[in-house]
Amino acid sequence: MSKPIKKKVFGLMAEYETPKGIFHACEKVRDAGYQKWDSYTPFPVHNLDKAMGLPPSILGWIVFICGMTGASCGMLLQWWTSTIEYPVIIAAKPYFSYQAFVPVTFELGVLLASFGAVFGMLGLNRLPQWYHSCFNSERFARVTDDKFFICIEASDPKYDPERTRKLLESTGAAHIEEVED
Amino acid sequence: MSSHGATEVSKDQVWLKSSSLWAKLPIIGVILAAAGLGGAFSMMGADPQHFWYSYLTALATFIAFGLGGLFFVIIQHVTRAGWSIVVRRLAENVMITLPALALCALPVVFMGSHELYEWTHLEVVQNDPMLSSKASYLNEGFFTTRMLTYFGIWTLLSVLFYGWSTSQDNATGEAIDKKSHAMRWLSAPAVLLFALSMTFFAFDALMSLDPHWFSTMFGVYYFAGIAVSAHAMLALLSVALRNSGYLKGVVTEEHNHDLGKLMFGFTVFFAYIGFSQYFLIWYANIPEETRWFAYRIADDFLPLTTLLAIGRFPLPFYFLLPRAIKRSSTTLILAAIWILFMEIVDMFWLVQPVLAHHHAKESGEHHMTMHIGAVDLLTIIGIGGVFLAVFGWALKRRALVPVKDPRLTESVTFENF
């Protein structure tokens, strides 16, 4: 057996028993001014984003821009193909019959908006992720079952092993441990 | 979470003070109704055709508002929705105008049908192969029977739902749940009755103005307007009531948000239905179908059609898109007023071009002239007055929310996530 290598510290992880516990703990961590930290729960805890002080997601804007891009590209594509690249008279209607182009414009708008929503969501969540330091904690496995966790990362400018531990203790954590990176 | 009996809703938030302007709505409504209808009927002699077209425009608009209330109530019961309970009483008060509006519709059936509907003239029908083959449906006897059936259905449904809901306010013990169950039980058959009566009312009262033309989507088109204005009406009423000091902490920005979302959703639905109806007719390019749109985009009516196309979709769509717009009362009420105004424009657009088209054909000049006269305004004021009077009477009569609904607390504390 080789001697275990001392690894870098990822952060301090606190464990809570109830949604209520983690909710108020998040408020305290938020008020203490930490930036690089996250909460982990087995199910969505309503309003936890507010307790954490998270700003509204910019996903809506991504979806909007993608959708508008899709719609205008759809219209542009049909305008170009049917008036410039390959003009054909269909049913005695003008080359640029925008009415006929609406369904495709709509479909492309919806398609790109959906792409924006799915891939934007994955991107903002930094998914897929092959490795996350939290899983170095054995207790963390119960986050998919019945335990609630807060992890304050060591890269936070306000992080201090002593003071951060004290803060987490004051939030009523059931267990606190240091997680390796 | 349901809790019986006492909730945290305080009485002064849900009962109108007799000194407030809201409590005077019945009087204001009666005065407007008398002035509007009196003025309009006195102008009937000068141009009876114009009068009846204007009357039908106003009637179709306010029946759409009333049916919007009925639609909202039915849908909330059939889906057993919790969030909407605090605005349901407002919808019920809008819905209970239907019996009075049905009375206002009787003159159209018994007095105005000859001025409005070409197919009531036997000599025209006899010389027209299309109309004579439609005569088994489009004849006065059957028309009157059908109209009375629709009015009967609407009166029955609105009186039953209103009656159960308001008597729940004073109920105790088991009776509270029984009323809720009764409303929920009726809501499923009511969906069917509402859909059929509303669709065929639109066919009979509005589509048959131009009896040669037909569209199977027409009923849905009328419904799209009903649905979007139903939520706009509730947004307008709840925000206005809050601005005058009622429903504080009862109808919250969370309810604003949901009403806004539904206004937004049905705006898209309206565009989908309106465009689909136009698109298929445009594509097929069959003269008997295209002429209905052709005279609506001709001459004076092109600006109106453009206003409708822009004002009913792109404008409210982009306006209602941000979350903050839907949650803020100031911006939501703007959107609501605009949507209700566009419903009037839409009904005008469905009805009035038919008259202009008759005039264009008769004059031989083939110019579509749009007439907006005092009679248009007076009929809207008159029938709007009837609507307002009955709505105001209902508003004053009971609490502004169903105070004994078992799930009222769930609705008050509702939040969007």
Side-chain angles (χ1 to χ4, degrees):
Chain A
M1 258 174 73
S2 60
K3 204 180 153 194
I5 308 153
K6 177 78 179 161
K7 275 195 177 175
K8 235 174 79 191
V9 172
F10 172 69
L12 271 176
M13 182 182 274
E15 184 182 318
Y16 300 89
E17 302 283 341
T18 59
K20 202 177 169 183
I22 194 172
F23 189 90
H24 294 300
C26 280
E27 287 176 332
K28 279 190 181 158
V29 177
R30 171 196 69 193
D31 294 341
Y34 286 93
Q35 298 296 323
K36 298 203 75 178
W37 62 289
D38 209 346
S39 57
Y40 308 87
T41 58
F43 49 81
V45 177
H46 289 156
N47 272 338
L48 199 63
D49 54 332
K50 280 176 201 152
M52 288 178 67
L54 294 178
S57 169
I58 60 156
L59 188 62
W61 285 103
I62 295 174
V63 173
F64 177 73
I65 291 164
C66 288
M68 288 300 122
T69 310
S72 25
C73 286
M75 188 51 99
L76 214 64
L77 172 77
Q78 294 172 88
W79 163 79
W80 180 72
T81 47
S82 51
T83 63
I84 293 173
E85 179 56 20
Y86 202 82
V88 177
I89 295 174
I90 298 165
K93 291 181 162 70
Y95 287 136
F96 183 64
S97 294
Y98 60 89
Q99 295 95 331
F101 301 162
V102 167
V104 174
T105 305
F106 169 74
E107 298 293 350
L108 268 175
V110 171
L111 181 71
L112 259 71
S114 317
F115 282 164
V118 173
F119 296 115
M121 179 277 291
L122 289 177
L124 292 174
N125 284 322
R126 283 183 234 126
L127 288 172
Q129 225 170 78
W130 312 122
Y131 172 79
H132 197 282
S133 308
C134 280
F135 292 104
N136 289 334
S137 157
E138 263 178 43
R139 301 181 73 99
F140 190 68
R142 289 184 73 179
V143 76
T144 57
D145 184 10
D146 60 350
K147 297 289 183 202
F148 304 82
F149 292 88
I150 287 179
C151 187
I152 302 181
E153 291 163 30
S155 52
D156 192 289
K158 290 196 88 176
Y159 183 83
D160 175 271
E162 304 298 308
R163 265 182 287 157
T164 307
R165 183 178 285 271
K166 275 213 177 96
L167 172 77
L168 288 174
E169 272 165 9
S170 74
T171 60
H175 180 87
I176 297 173
E177 67 177 304
E178 211 169 57
V179 183
E180 287 179 348
D181 200 11
Chain B
M1 278 184 286
S2 65
S3 63
H4 286 261
T7 56
E8 66 268 40
V9 176
S10 72
K11 266 198 159 181
D12 58 325
Q13 292 296 314
V14 294
W15 282 95
L16 290 178
K17 292 174 195 72
S18 53
S19 57
S20 81
L21 195 63
W22 289 97
K24 295 188 181 74
L25 277 186
I27 316 254
I28 298 170
V30 167
I31 294 169
L32 287 179
L37 289 179
F41 270 99
S42 71
M43 289 171 77
M44 186 166 92
D47 189 350
Q49 249 197 330
H50 190 193
F51 167 81
W52 284 111
Y53 274 82
S54 304
Y55 191 86
L56 186 65
T57 307
L59 188 73
T61 309
F62 284 96
I63 284 187
F65 294 161
L67 285 176
L70 180 62
F71 164 70
F72 187 84
V73 171
I74 292 173
I75 288 298
Q76 304 314 314
H77 282 306
V78 85
T79 58
R80 203 165 174 270
W83 72 272
S84 58
I85 290 165
V86 290
V87 286
R88 205 187 70 215
R89 178 57 53 80
L90 295 176
E92 285 162 356
N93 294 341
V94 170
M95 161 185 87
I96 202 65
T97 60
L98 279 173
L101 292 171
L103 285 180
C104 293
L106 292 181
V108 170
V109 181
F110 293 106
M111 289 164 71
S113 59
H114 281 275
E115 303 288 352
L116 286 164
Y117 304 111
E118 198 185 340
W119 50 262
T120 56
H121 299 271
L122 288 176
E123 70 286 356
V124 177
V125 174
Q126 269 163 10
N127 299 321
D128 191 317
M130 269 189 89
L131 293 189
S132 47
S133 52
K134 288 182 183 184
S136 55
Y137 184 82
L138 285 181
N139 62 70
E140 277 190 90
F142 194 22
F143 173 78
T144 311
T145 318
R146 286 197 308 268
M147 287 298 235
L148 294 180
T149 311
Y150 311 144
F151 303 151
I153 290 173
W154 299 342
T155 306
L156 182 76
L157 288 180
S158 55
V159 166
L160 279 178
F161 278 116
Y162 182 81
W164 281 329
S165 179
T166 49
S167 61
Q168 191 183 42
D169 286 8
N170 299 326
T172 46
E174 268 188 26
I176 295 176
D177 289 343
K178 272 198 178 144
K179 306 280 180 199
S180 281
H181 292 154
M183 289 189 277
R184 209 168 296 146
W185 175 84
L186 183 63
S187 62
V191 168
L192 208 66
L193 288 172
F194 168 81
L196 289 173
S197 60
M198 180 274 306
T199 304
F200 280 93
F201 172 76
F203 286 167
D204 292 348
L206 300 170
M207 198 166 87
S208 80
L209 286 170
D210 190 342
H212 293 97
W213 184 78
F214 53 90
S215 158
T216 47
M217 281 192 101
F218 195 84
V220 192
Y221 182 87
Y222 188 57
F223 166 72
I226 290 176
V228 69
S229 43
H231 300 102
M233 181 65 86
L234 292 179
L236 170 70
L237 291 172
S238 60
V239 171
L241 277 166
R242 230 165 343 153
N243 287 347
S244 40
Y246 299 102
L247 298 176
K248 289 242 159 88
V250 181
V251 183
T252 62
E253 64 172 8
E254 304 293 337
H255 301 101
N256 273 5
H257 194 177
D258 265 19
L259 289 170
K261 281 188 270 187
L262 285 161
M263 276 156 70
F264 175 79
F266 279 109
T267 293
V268 178
F269 179 71
F270 176 87
Y272 166 61
I273 296 301
F275 181 75
S276 295
Q277 178 169 277
Y278 168 73
F279 184 48
L280 296 186
I281 289 171
W282 171 84
Y283 226 128
N285 212 3
I286 299 168
E288 69 178 26
E289 290 177 346
T290 49
R291 46 182 281 285
W292 193 84
F293 281 105
Y295 63 73
R296 277 173 174 79
I297 56 171
D299 309 322
D300 291 2
F301 283 92
L302 182 61
L304 188 76
T305 307
T306 315
L307 171 71
L308 191 74
I310 294 172
R312 276 221 117 159
F313 178 57
L315 218 62
F317 177 84
Y318 286 108
F319 186 73
L320 283 170
L321 206 44
R323 179 185 163 96
I325 296 280
K326 293 186 280 260
R327 291 178 80 85
S328 150
S329 295
T330 328
T331 44
L332 188 73
I333 202 172
L334 275 178
I337 290 169
W338 177 256
I339 285 171
L340 293 176
F341 168 68
M342 286 315 293
E343 179 68 13
I344 302 178
V345 173
D346 193 9
M347 291 305 121
F348 187 89
W349 182 80
L350 286 180
V351 176
Q352 296 285 358
V354 180
L355 178 63
H357 189 230
H358 285 312
H359 286 320
K361 272 197 297 189
E362 281 158 17
S363 71
E365 280 175 35
H366 296 287
H367 186 270
M368 288 284 291
T369 319
M370 184 156 72
H371 289 288
I372 302 182
V375 70
D376 292 289
L377 198 65
L378 286 171
T379 46
I380 286 179
I381 291 174
I383 296 179
V386 173
F387 176 87
L388 214 59
V390 180
F391 171 76
W393 164 81
L395 196 71
K396 205 169 110 178
R397 191 168 162 263
R398 292 293 181 175
L400 299 174
V401 295
V403 283
K404 283 277 181 73
D405 192 292
R407 296 185 300 147
L408 182 62
T409 315
E410 178 188 335
S411 182
V412 172
T413 55
F414 160 76
E415 278 186 67
N416 281 289
F417 296 112

